[in-house]
Amino acid sequence: MATLNQRRKFLKALIGGGVGTVAIGFLFPKVSQSQAVDLENLCASSPFNSRCKDYLPGVSALDLQGKQIRVDTLVTKPNQPIPVKGLSDPVYLVVTQNAKLAEYAIRPVCTHLGCTVEWKSDRQQFVCPCHGSRYDAQGRVTNGPAKRSLPLVTAIVKQNQVRLVDRAPAIDPRKSV
């Protein structure tokens, strides 16, 4: 008889421990890799959020020689896109009228057929070598056959660095310019 009571106690303890373990798992979930991705998204969209004080989102923008771009030494001219590396394809940083870097960079891919457009400084515009589409210094289409502006990536200036995030800004800043 004593062994039957011991068995019941053992089964109750086993079931109670299992239920308790499952409950603790739901109450205190394991910190996962997705939280790091969430921090990347948070800091890419709100780089001056207090949680992002020392966090640098994206990848460093590099000049054409492969050196990291420092903002304090960057010589900028308004309406003169600056070619940089850092993402899979080269992108162009945009300089605003007050000689500051814009919060976006231009991906030089024609929206007509996907050809790589070239910046022509003598004409002050991007020109598609395939079908002649033209874009201004901010990447807005000025002459077809392309109908849409050049695609954007997010550019963040933080800790004297330019960082590139491989996603378009939530709102196209060229529409408010």
Side-chain angles (χ1 to χ4, degrees):
M1 198 73 152
T3 58
L4 188 59
N5 272 341
Q6 288 176 340
R7 288 181 190 165
R8 285 182 183 157
K9 285 182 181 179
F10 174 73
L11 287 174
K12 285 181 182 178
L14 187 65
I15 292 170
V19 169
T21 302
V22 170
I24 288 174
F26 279 114
L27 292 174
F28 304 102
K30 180 182 170 189
V31 176
S32 67
Q33 293 291 334
S34 66
Q35 288 184 338
V37 173
D38 290 341
L39 188 60
E40 175 74 19
N41 287 333
L42 172 70
C43 296
S45 61
S46 304
F48 300 107
N49 183 301
S50 62
R51 289 179 51 199
C52 304
K53 180 180 176 194
D54 296 320
Y55 184 77
L56 294 172
V59 297
S60 289
L62 307 172
D63 64 15
L64 297 179
Q65 288 76 38
K67 295 178 185 171
Q68 188 176 28
I69 295 175
R70 296 179 46 86
V71 178
D72 60 354
T73 60
L74 185 64
V75 178
T76 58
K77 297 178 189 174
N79 294 326
Q80 187 68 33
I82 303 167
V84 297
K85 299 188 290 185
L87 296 175
S88 59
D89 297 322
V91 297
Y92 287 84
L93 297 176
V94 176
V95 182
T96 62
Q97 288 296 334
N98 55 1
K100 293 193 177 199
L101 290 177
E103 296 176 352
Y104 64 93
I106 299 170
R107 192 177 294 276
V109 178
C110 182
T111 57
H112 178 235
L113 290 178
C115 299
T116 301
V117 299
E118 301 167 359
W119 172 252
K120 302 289 186 183
S121 56
D122 57 334
R123 297 187 212 166
Q124 290 294 299
Q125 59 186 317
F126 290 98
V127 178
C128 178
C130 299
H131 294 98
S133 293
R134 286 180 266 174
Y135 306 85
D136 68 8
Q138 282 77 38
R140 293 180 293 240
V141 65
T142 58
N143 191 24
K147 305 250 187 272
R148 292 175 286 128
S149 297
L150 293 172
L152 304 178
V153 296
T154 302
I156 297 169
V157 175
K158 190 170 180 186
Q159 297 178 7
N160 201 27
Q161 294 183 33
V162 179
R163 307 288 292 186
L164 302 171
V165 180
D166 195 10
R167 69 175 192 169
I171 299 171
D172 188 338
R174 300 173 292 192
K175 293 182 181 174
S176 63
V177 176

